[in-house]
């Protein structure tokens, strides 16, 4: 999740120009994908027609908040989203609310492409496990806190 105070208006045109943007997500809604305060998402210009279930996108909620979450379901003209640490589905969202797609991310200083086969398998598995995530993510979160982040989930 991103909290913005108007600075987003300055970077959104850069995405439309085809430039990549690196951001540091805030919050725990995308745990275990983003765990370290130094983890970063690399965002790219979005082609709505090429978005698929499992893609992580940057979108604006109706209240103005920018959010980085995963697509759970796509219909002809709507999208439904959830955070990796959540079970509730948000939507419908429309194409005009979507600004970017995550192309890669930095995890503990290592660059990982969203096309990486291991990432693709793990992210789709995690999406499939959405209904039982609380049973998995709570123990993972406790383990992460106990080891002070010295455990890598990816």
């Amino acid at each position: 999740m991103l909290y913005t105070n108007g600075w987003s208006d300055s970077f959104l045109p850069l995405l439309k120009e085809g430039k990549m943007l690196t951001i540091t997500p805030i919050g725990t809604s995308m745990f275990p994908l983003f765990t370290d305060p130094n983890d970063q998402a690399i965002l790219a210009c979005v082609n709505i027609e090429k978005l698929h279930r499992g893609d992580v996108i940057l979108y604006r909620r109706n209240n103005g908040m920018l959010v980085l979450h995963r697509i759970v379901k796509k219909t002809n003209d709507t999208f439904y989203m959830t955070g990796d640490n959540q079970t509730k589905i948000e939507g419908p969202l429309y194409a005009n609310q979507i600004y970017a797609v995550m192309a890669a991310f930095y995890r503990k200083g290592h660059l990982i492409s969203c096309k990486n086969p291991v990432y693709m398998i793990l992210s789709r598995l995690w999406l499939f496990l959405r209904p039982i995530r609380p049973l998995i993510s709570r123990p993972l979160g406790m383990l992460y806190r106990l080891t002070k982040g010295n455990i890598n989930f990816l």
Side-chain angles (χ1 to χ4, degrees):
M1 186 175 307
L2 300 172
Y3 297 96
T4 63
N5 293 320
W7 61 265
S8 63
D9 296 331
S10 63
F11 75 72
L12 293 177
L14 297 174
L15 289 167
K16 289 181 182 176
E17 292 172 11
K19 295 191 170 47
M20 303 285 265
L21 180 70
T22 302
I23 62 166
T24 302
I26 299 170
T28 59
S29 68
M30 286 301 287
F31 177 85
L33 179 61
F34 295 111
T35 57
D36 187 81
N38 297 315
D39 290 349
Q40 296 179 309
I42 300 172
L43 304 178
C45 183
V46 65
N47 180 340
I48 298 297
E49 290 79 33
K50 291 187 178 182
L51 289 177
H52 300 286
R53 182 178 199 269
D55 288 341
V56 176
I57 62 169
L58 178 71
Y59 64 94
R60 189 179 299 275
R61 287 182 173 156
N62 292 334
N63 66 5
M65 182 183 294
L66 286 173
V67 181
L68 190 69
H69 278 173
R70 194 175 300 279
I71 297 173
V72 174
K73 179 181 175 184
K74 176 184 176 184
T75 66
N76 288 340
D77 59 349
T78 60
F79 296 84
Y80 295 84
M81 313 300 298
T82 190
D84 283 356
N85 196 25
Q86 300 173 330
T87 56
K88 184 180 176 190
I89 296 175
E90 178 179 357
L93 297 169
Y94 301 93
N96 65 345
Q97 293 175 269
I98 299 171
Y99 294 102
V101 62
M102 188 173 75
F105 58 97
Y106 284 100
R107 180 68 183 272
K108 298 199 181 268
H110 299 285
L111 179 64
I112 301 171
S113 168
C114 290
K115 296 184 188 295
N116 177 308
V118 174
Y119 166 76
M120 291 176 73
I121 290 168
L122 290 176
S123 66
R124 278 157 181 75
L125 176 63
W126 193 245
L127 192 55
F128 175 76
L129 294 173
R130 186 186 57 78
I132 61 167
R133 279 187 199 159
L135 300 173
I136 301 168
S137 64
R138 284 189 188 112
L140 281 178
M142 288 176 26
L143 181 62
Y144 183 80
R145 287 186 294 280
L146 286 172
T147 62
K148 298 189 185 341
N150 292 324
I151 188 169
N152 196 359
F153 298 112
L154 184 63

